[in-house]
Amino acid sequence: MDKRENTRLQNPFVYTGYVSPDYFCDRKEETEDLISNLRNGRNTTLIAPRRIGKTGLIKNTFYWLESKDKDAVCIYLDIFSTKNQHDFVKMLGSAVINRIMSLDQTALKRIMEFFGSWRPVFGTDPMTGMPTVSVSIEPTESDLSLGTIFDYLKQSPHQIYIAIDEFQQITNYPESGTEALLRSHIQFAPNVHFIFSGSKRHIMAQIFNSPARPFYQSTASMGLYPLHEEIYYDFARSFFEKANGCLGNDVFHYIYQRFDGVTWNIQQILNRLYETDKRVGDESQANEAIRHIVSRNGMLYEGLMEFLTDNQLSLLKAIAKSGCVESPQSNSFIRQFGLPSPSSIKTALTVLIDKEVVYRDSKGYMVYDRFFELWLKQLP
């Protein structure tokens, strides 16, 4: 039995990480689709805005894969922090070694003999206190090292499932051939299966749908949308009722609609409500929880503003106060908020999108973090 099955949390509303299916709401169809794709040799592209639940879905899929198939080895890495191909190869190599070691504590010597020139660096996970191993690879050897990783994975008796989160980051690497190099190894590793997850829809679409790119039509595609409101409410209400409390349907509907079903925001509010009062029946309780969260993050938001130019900040505040803007470069929007020229707005908007402070959906442009949006609305 996985030790996570015995985990019981003081507060069941988790908004960072993944604990177990007990604290994961629904996504049954998506989980089954991902498992089916992976088991049947279909690598999958998973695209959705950040904070909607991609990572949780991946971790839930991996939980069930390993629970149902003892031959499965699941490896997750978030490459958002990587700056180049060397960083990527080093992260992948370290993730592979640590996952294999978690299955077999005696495997390190055999692993290092296989990888030869790699130099292990031992440390401790600051969150769990468990020993970890990272690898030191010469930047000039990253191409060769990536091939060595795949050689090792291919000779494994296991079915291996690797999720690469924020996959669009590889388009920012200074090396021009990373996509082609990675694709060349993946197509000859039949026992290694991939989830490529990303939050920037247009970049992910270019990687996997452009005929000129190495990954063209090489994966099954999956989008991720907000949880169904009724299912989410039943999930949330059950925890309040188990604590001899209650969660009013009208209050949950108010929260869900105000934050457009974005899981990360709603989980934080429910976490705060569960902490302060198990009997929730009035919108004022939700508003107080929201006020507390926004206030608590004020210093973080002030720090973020220091990295923005005057034009970027003016545009960001205008978008926040509008809620959603269909055309930020329109004359009416510019006049309403006293913004600079359309060309300056275009430049500022590009940066805000690239920094993932602002994103665009079918309705228009919005601030990514809804709590940040509320904080910005308070500014003059």
Side-chain angles (χ1 to χ4, degrees), residues 2 4 18 31 34-35 38 55-69 72-77 99 160-164 193-195:
D2 192 299
R4 290 172 296 185
Y18 175 85
T31 299
L34 267 179
I35 291 174
L38 294 171
T55 302
L57 173 60
I58 292 169
K59 295 291 184 68
N60 193 58
T61 298
F62 280 1
Y63 176 95
W64 288 114
L65 272 171
E66 292 184 331
S67 296
K68 296 176 179 179
D69 182 1
V73 174
C74 297
I75 299 169
Y76 169 87
L77 58 153
R99 187 67 187 101
I160 298 171
Y161 304 93
I162 299 177
I164 305 178
H193 317 282
F194 285 85
I195 299 173

Side-chain angles (χ1 to χ4, degrees), residues 151-168:
D151 287 342
Y152 179 81
L153 295 175
K154 285 187 290 185
Q155 60 89 48
S156 171
H158 299 280
Q159 290 296 307
I160 298 171
Y161 304 93
I162 299 177
I164 305 178
D165 209 352
E166 300 301 340
F167 186 70
Q168 72 274 340

Side-chain angles (χ1 to χ4, degrees), residues 90-105:
K90 183 177 177 181
M91 181 178 286
L92 177 60
S94 297
V96 169
I97 289 175
N98 280 285
R99 187 67 187 101
I100 298 301
M101 280 183 57
S102 71
L103 299 174
D104 181 1
Q105 293 293 323

Side-chain angles (χ1 to χ4, degrees), residues 125-145:
D125 189 310
M127 299 296 291
T128 65
M130 297 295 291
T132 60
V133 179
S134 60
V135 293
S136 178
I137 304 170
E138 291 296 330
T140 55
E141 297 179 352
S142 61
D143 285 19
L144 180 62
S145 295

Side-chain angles (χ1 to χ4, degrees), residues 226-277:
L227 291 164
H228 191 281
E229 182 177 346
E230 291 182 7
I231 294 174
Y232 199 173
Y233 172 61
D234 288 340
F235 169 82
R237 180 185 61 183
S238 68
F239 286 116
F240 281 88
E241 292 178 350
K242 288 175 184 176
N244 297 318
C246 62
L247 175 64
N249 194 356
D250 290 344
V251 179
F252 183 84
H253 177 73
Y254 170 73
I255 297 169
Y256 185 94
Q257 293 297 321
R258 185 170 182 182
F259 290 88
D260 294 326
V262 176
T263 312
W264 184 78
N265 295 110
I266 296 173
Q267 286 289 103
Q268 285 199 60
I269 297 167
L270 294 173
N271 182 284
R272 176 64 180 172
L273 289 170
Y274 190 89
E275 174 190 357
T276 57
D277 190 350

Side-chain angles (χ1 to χ4, degrees), residues 327-343:
S327 180
Q329 298 176 66
S330 68
N331 290 330
S332 59
F333 180 72
I334 289 174
R335 285 196 302 269
Q336 180 183 355
F337 292 98
L339 299 174
S341 66
S343 60

